[in-house]
Amino acid sequence: MSKRLKSILTPIIAVLLGILVGTIIMLFSGYNPVAAYTALWNGAFGEIYYIGEVIRQFTPYILAGLAVAFAFRVGLFNIGVEGQFLMGWLAAVWVGVAFDLPRVIHLPLAILAAIAAGALWAFIPGLLKARFRVHEVIVTIMMNYVALHVSNYLIRNVITDHGDNSGPIHKSATLRSGFLESITDYSRLHWGILIAIISCFIMWFLLERTTRGFELRSVGFNQHAAQYAGMNVNKNIILSMVISGAFAGLAGAMEGLGTFEYAAVKGGFSGVGFDGIAVALLGGNTALGVFFSAILFGVLKVGALNMPLEAGVPNELVDIIIALIVFFVASSYIIRVFLDRFSKKEVK
């Protein structure tokens, strides 16, 4: 069995195992798994409105997954995507509220502000990693909390006098689309899905088809060999974190300019950045894998909302299934051993 085929089969088997164990948990808990999964399917695909909501849901997941996957591909662990996501959301809304410009200027400016905010928030752990060899996992985790409280402070005291939210952005800065809403029975689907798809292509092209991408991956594989070859290791570490943070900030813009069109004080994390870690793991840290993985997560998240209504099954069980999928992906070595043995039996 080829390495490529195994890399494709591993996440598929992990998903099936997660669903299987989730089914067993439902049976032991006294719930009907057939009714639960039927309700989940109906909640995701039963109406055109639900399909629009699924696409809207997985749009930021694609970008958060790309942020994590990009860092992984270059040998870094960006666990701060949640914080970069929040700062991108804040920056996009800030520009959307503070200025009233023509749409052709205002919307790109708000998106660029989100990208810059996410990149800047990731620049700090990148700089500390490059200059002082401070592990990026610790710094990025801590900066999630800093981002949460800084954004809450700025919303309350700087951006607006509305209290706990910024108020709506100007229509010239919104990603909302009357056309997309009308064809999906007025869901919250917006143009951000196109941005997410383009971002997948950008990540693939940058890593696989450019000299800079080769340098970034080389530094991730072996810093000493890269330095011996004449590459600037510190510069590439910082650049890698900045690009990863840019994807995360862009994910925030999807929520701030598309789904909600405002920023509000938050009592806790949104979870999108942390879900991005699971999306990247399931997607094998590739752009195409992240895209399909994000779709699965969007289906599970939106479909789960229908489970208590139609089947009387708590939607928290979907979170258990997602956790099980991540567990089996993390245990992919066992799956690969099984596939190797299976392929050897076929040869005999």
Side-chain angles (χ1 to χ4, degrees), residues 78 80-88 118 121-122 140 144 241 244-245 248-249:
N78 185 4
V81 170
E82 178 71 22
Q84 296 146 23
F85 166 84
L86 292 176
M87 297 310 291
W121 210 250
T140 52
N144 285 332
M241 286 298 295
S244 176

Side-chain angles (χ1 to χ4, degrees), residues 26 46 70 103 186 211 225 276 282 311:
M26 287 186 201
F70 188 91
R103 184 180 178 85
Y186 298 97
T211 304
L282 182 59

